[in-house]
Amino acid sequence: MIAPQTLVFGILALLGLLSMVATYLAVTERDLVKAVVFSAIQSTAYAFMYYLLMAPDIVLVYVPVAVGLYPAVILFLIKKTERFEGE
Amino acid sequence: MKAWERIVIGASMVIFVALLALVYTLGALGYRVPPSTPRDLAMVYLTMTFNPSNPLFSAMAPEAVTAIVWDYRGLDTLFETAVFFLAIIASVALMRGVSLPEKPPSSAEGMSLIVKTVTKLTIGMILAVAASIAFHGHLTPGGGFQGGATAAVAPLVALVVFSVYFLERSGVTKNRMLGLRSAGLLGIGLTAFLVLIGSLLSGGTAFVFQNQPKPAAPIGLPWRIDGALTGGTLFLFNVFEALAVSAGFTIVFLLLAVPEEEAIKVVRGGEDGH
């Protein structure tokens, strides 16, 4: 039987790894729309981590800002500039 | 992207995680994270945030985070709000006089009927959740900024699914949002002085940003109205902050949705250098 605390730490570690992979993909991706999606995946992992770290106030501001408003603003900017990153 | 750039980015991330793990293993954050007992400072706030037996030090709201944000360190939050709204005022000033073209282009009809119907339902739900987060901010996790940011998602979704012309037709215009935002900010300003004004009118003194009675300033806002907890000024701050934040974000989205040619025409200005 796994202790609940170990389980929480394990999920935290998995979410941290997921966020690292998403960050790497967001930085290296040349299609900026895909990069925004990777960034949103990283934000989602962080939102779950904040929840597991017992910070519901941060979750409630992180979900609308980092998953909703911030990707939307970036997508607006990409629409007005260029979708693919140049050399 | 070149191969060596990928290697540099990947290696720097691995080194960052390895260093963090090393710091953690060496016990720089303590050997138990989170610690098994709350810190002394945390205990002070946890025992004082709602404590009718010690009203001089209590914010009389069971939500410690909101009590800290709008009461114990209320002035910091006021200036944070000021920074946020200076940024919005700057974008409004930069885009002054920018307006949508009179005639909507034929592409401004929005997405399909299915998406629109689902969105109509979802917008109602988003606004209900936002109201719940903002108006219960003094009781449960949440507060004005959280509720306002959630509410701002509703006009954003409507903007993408319907069009900016639909928002304008249904009354969400830049000037109205500016009015709402100003009303919210005015409310925050007035709430900060509410106890002081009441105290001066009754011949006493009080502090700026006072919520509950303090030594030498015996007047405070009621923390309980008919059995329901209000948190004194906290409820008012949350309501006005939600109003100001949601309207502020909406202004930015409305400005971003103006076609680029129109915006550039205005921002570039005339030859006379206005």
Side-chain angles (χ1 to χ4, degrees):
Chain A
M1 183 67 199
I2 311 169
Q5 205 175 14
T6 319
L7 199 64
V8 167
F9 278 126
I11 297 171
L12 274 175
L14 283 180
L15 288 168
L17 274 180
L18 175 70
S19 75
M20 287 296 289
V21 173
T23 309
Y24 175 78
L25 290 173
V27 172
T28 53
E29 179 59 56
R30 282 191 57 218
D31 182 347
L32 294 177
V33 174
K34 280 189 194 164
V36 170
V37 174
F38 288 134
S39 175
I41 292 173
Q42 177 255 312
S43 304
T44 313
Y46 273 21
F48 280 114
M49 286 166 80
Y50 283 130
Y51 184 75
L52 289 176
L53 290 169
M54 291 183 280
D57 291 85
I58 309 292
V59 177
L60 284 174
V61 77
Y62 203 79
V63 168
V65 170
V67 185
L69 303 177
Y70 151 78
V73 170
I74 305 286
L75 284 176
F76 264 120
L77 294 181
I78 292 171
K79 192 181 148 205
K80 282 174 190 288
T81 54
E82 286 174 351
R83 179 166 173 178
F84 292 94
E85 202 177 339
E87 280 301 315
Chain B
M1 180 169 287
K2 295 184 198 81
W4 67 267
E5 281 179 327
R6 284 176 187 278
I7 293 169
V8 167
I9 293 170
S12 59
M13 288 171 79
V14 169
I15 291 170
F16 176 68
V17 173
L19 282 178
L20 271 186
L22 181 70
V23 164
Y24 183 80
T25 318
L26 292 178
L29 300 170
Y31 285 100
R32 265 184 84 90
V33 181
S36 48
T37 53
R39 286 170 206 139
D40 293 346
L41 184 64
M43 284 310 293
V44 171
Y45 286 119
L46 286 173
T47 51
M48 281 304 164
T49 179
F50 183 77
N51 194 342
S53 65
N54 195 349
L56 286 183
F57 290 96
S58 180
M60 291 302 188
E63 227 300 85
V65 177
T66 303
I68 290 172
V69 164
W70 278 120
D71 188 345
Y72 291 115
R73 46 147 267 187
L75 217 52
D76 299 61
T77 311
L78 184 74
F79 287 116
E80 276 174 13
T81 308
V83 169
F84 176 67
F85 285 104
L86 275 177
I88 285 177
I89 288 168
S91 66
V92 171
L94 193 68
M95 303 277 269
R96 68 195 180 282
V98 175
S99 59
L100 284 171
E102 286 291 312
K103 213 167 142 304
S106 55
S107 61
E109 285 172 0
M111 296 188 185
S112 72
L113 189 62
I114 300 171
V115 184
K116 283 184 177 174
T117 313
V118 172
T119 307
K120 274 181 198 162
L121 294 171
T122 334
I123 284 178
M125 294 183 209
I126 294 174
L127 291 178
V129 170
S132 160
I133 293 175
F135 302 158
H136 291 161
H138 56 293
L139 302 173
T140 51
F145 190 87
Q146 288 92 326
T150 309
V153 175
L156 172 70
V157 172
L159 189 70
V160 174
V161 172
F162 293 93
S163 75
V164 65
Y165 293 96
F166 173 85
L167 273 185
E168 297 257 311
R169 272 204 308 278
S170 46
V172 185
T173 60
K174 190 184 93 180
N175 286 340
R176 277 197 192 156
M177 289 299 113
L178 265 177
L180 269 186
R181 186 210 60 123
S182 307
L185 287 184
L186 203 66
I188 293 175
L190 276 180
T191 311
F193 289 103
L194 200 55
V195 174
L196 182 64
I197 293 170
S199 204
L200 289 179
L201 287 180
S202 61
T205 59
F207 299 99
V208 175
F209 247 94
Q210 186 177 335
N211 179 5
Q212 296 303 314
K214 293 280 173 282
I219 292 185
L221 285 192
W223 57 273
R224 188 172 52 180
I225 294 178
D226 202 17
L229 296 177
T230 64
T233 53
L234 300 187
F235 177 71
L236 297 173
F237 276 132
N238 278 339
V239 170
F240 289 127
E241 173 88 356
L243 202 64
V245 168
S246 55
F249 272 124
T250 309
I251 293 171
V252 172
F253 290 129
L254 287 176
L255 289 178
L256 276 173
V258 173
E260 204 178 350
E261 295 95 57
E262 301 291 322
I264 286 180
K265 229 186 285 172
V266 174
V267 173
R268 186 173 286 152
E271 293 299 320
D272 47 2
H274 79 265

